[in-house]
Amino acid sequence: MTSVDVHQHLWTPSLVAALRARREPPYLDGWTLFLDGEPPYDVPPADHDVAWRADLAAADGLGRALVSLSAPIGVEWLPAAEARPLLDAYHADAAALPEPFGAWAAACVREVDADTTAKELDRGFVGLQLPANALADAAGYAHCAPLLDLLEERGLPLFVHPGPAAAGGSEGPGWWPAMVPYVQQMHAAWFAFKAFGRPRHPRLRVCFALLAGLAPLHGERFDARGGPREKADPDVFVETSSYGPTAVDAVVHALGVDAVVQGSDRPYARPPRHPGFGLGGAAAYAFRIANPRRLLTGEE
């Protein structure tokens, strides 16, 4: 029985070098990250030390920590010729990470290439992460359909993660991107999946980061405004990064305990002190073991 964290980030040497080779956002100058839409961010180098992070995973009681490309950086939205060196660097190192790490693949969404993504998935990635702002409406689902078809064919899950903040966010406080555009993106992605994603991809398993921006708590308004009444979707999950007992308890009431998986967003946030978020041992087992297993494999 393996305890899993489905949401971590780890910048390996090849990705760091590729970001430092750029002169326009996204790029690294030493360990300072420059993005459109966010203030410069000084990256603590230790946060991306593989051995130290493996020790942290062990201290957290994890048997597996799944890392992904940091989608807010915006690599997936670059033109393919610019995205490819960064994606290649990420995939090369992520595929070779030692235990307890596993990884989500990434893909260019400016110019979708399902054949290239298929080759990356062949290397053992657990599924595919896409930025939420690529899946925010009908046009986004139509554009990304070849990637989602590929996941359905292979029985692999989709991880929906916030994408880049809108330009102009660099003028606000440091917490603004995480609290406003990231949450808005996840809210839109949740309802876009209901409206456009699930009808087109009936067998797709999907996990939404940060409790889908708490969109599941709008179920009563959804009903009041004419949203179709539907049963719980057993192949839709939300992960817990940056939230605590109040939000997790509310989402469990809205979706049921089987929909929640543990995600920490390390190194940007820490996992909960109590894995069950105060809901007891059975909830902790569901969040860390049983539900991640269903998300990743489709098996009970």
Side-chain angles (χ1 to χ4, degrees), residues 68-140:
S68 65
L69 186 63
S70 297
I73 294 176
V75 170
E76 298 94 331
W77 281 104
L78 292 171
E82 293 185 49
R84 192 75 263 152
L86 294 163
L87 292 171
D88 288 347
Y90 165 72
H91 287 125
D93 283 357
L97 284 170
E99 293 184 356
F101 298 107
W104 298 90
C108 180
V109 295
R110 177 78 69 89
E111 302 170 51
V112 169
D113 183 348
D115 290 339
T116 296
T117 299
K119 293 175 182 177
E120 300 297 355
L121 292 172
D122 287 341
R123 303 169 73 175
F125 289 91
V126 300
L128 177 65
Q129 175 187 275
L130 290 177
N133 55 353
L135 297 170
D137 52 26

Side-chain angles (χ1 to χ4, degrees), residues 12-38:
T12 51
S14 294
L15 178 60
V16 169
L19 286 167
R20 286 176 176 163
R22 292 178 54 83
R23 293 296 178 267
E24 295 182 357
Y27 72 95
L28 276 171
D29 182 357
W31 281 102
T32 301
L33 178 66
F34 291 86
L35 305 177
D36 285 328
E38 298 199 28

Side-chain angles (χ1 to χ4, degrees), residues 19-299:
L19 286 167
R20 286 176 176 163
R22 292 178 54 83
R23 293 296 178 267
E24 295 182 357
Y27 72 95
L28 276 171
D29 182 357
W31 281 102
T32 301
L33 178 66
F34 291 86
L35 305 177
D36 285 328
E38 298 199 28
Y41 175 68
D42 291 326
V43 179
D47 282 352
H48 302 287
D49 179 271
V50 174
W52 185 65
R53 290 288 300 279
D55 289 342
L56 281 181
D60 292 337
L62 296 175
R64 204 170 191 205
L66 303 183
V67 302
S68 65
L69 186 63
S70 297
I73 294 176
V75 170
E76 298 94 331
W77 281 104
L78 292 171
E82 293 185 49
R84 192 75 263 152
L86 294 163
L87 292 171
D88 288 347
Y90 165 72
H91 287 125
D93 283 357
L97 284 170
E99 293 184 356
F101 298 107
W104 298 90
C108 180
V109 295
R110 177 78 69 89
E111 302 170 51
V112 169
D113 183 348
D115 290 339
T116 296
T117 299
K119 293 175 182 177
E120 300 297 355
L121 292 172
D122 287 341
R123 303 169 73 175
F125 289 91
V126 300
L128 177 65
Q129 175 187 275
L130 290 177
N133 55 353
L135 297 170
D137 52 26
Y141 271 97
H143 182 66
C144 292
L147 299 174
L148 305 184
D149 288 342
L150 174 64
L151 293 176
E152 277 192 297
E153 291 167 6
R154 296 195 175 199
L156 295 176
L158 169 69
F159 182 37
V160 182
H161 188 288
S170 59
E171 299 175 0
W175 50 261
W176 182 269
M179 291 305 301
V180 182
Y182 292 3
V183 173
Q184 290 172 337
Q185 287 183 37
M186 296 309 303
H187 182 108
W190 174 264
F191 286 104
F193 182 77
K194 282 181 176 289
F196 314 114
R198 178 53 85 211
R200 175 65 176 74
H201 302 281
R203 295 177 290 111
L204 183 65
R205 299 192 306 281
V206 57
C207 179
F208 292 86
L210 52 112
L211 296 178
L214 299 185
L217 302 188
H218 292 268
E220 292 167 328
R221 181 173 176 83
F222 185 66
D223 291 343
R225 295 292 179 164
R229 292 186 176 274
E230 52 191 353
K231 297 180 180 178
D233 189 329
D235 290 327
V236 170
F237 302 81
V238 294
E239 62 85 16
T240 59
S241 59
S242 298
Y243 284 100
T246 300
V248 172
D249 180 66
V251 169
V252 166
H253 277 84
L255 298 180
V257 72
D258 292 338
V260 178
V261 297
Q262 177 177 297
S264 67
D265 199 21
R266 271 200 187 275
Y268 309 113
R270 297 180 179 181
R273 181 175 299 178
H274 302 292
F277 292 88
L279 299 176
Y285 179 87
F287 298 164
R288 289 166 61 96
I289 297 174
N291 296 349
R293 182 170 60 236
R294 286 192 301 109
L295 167 65
L296 297 172
T297 69
E299 299 175 358

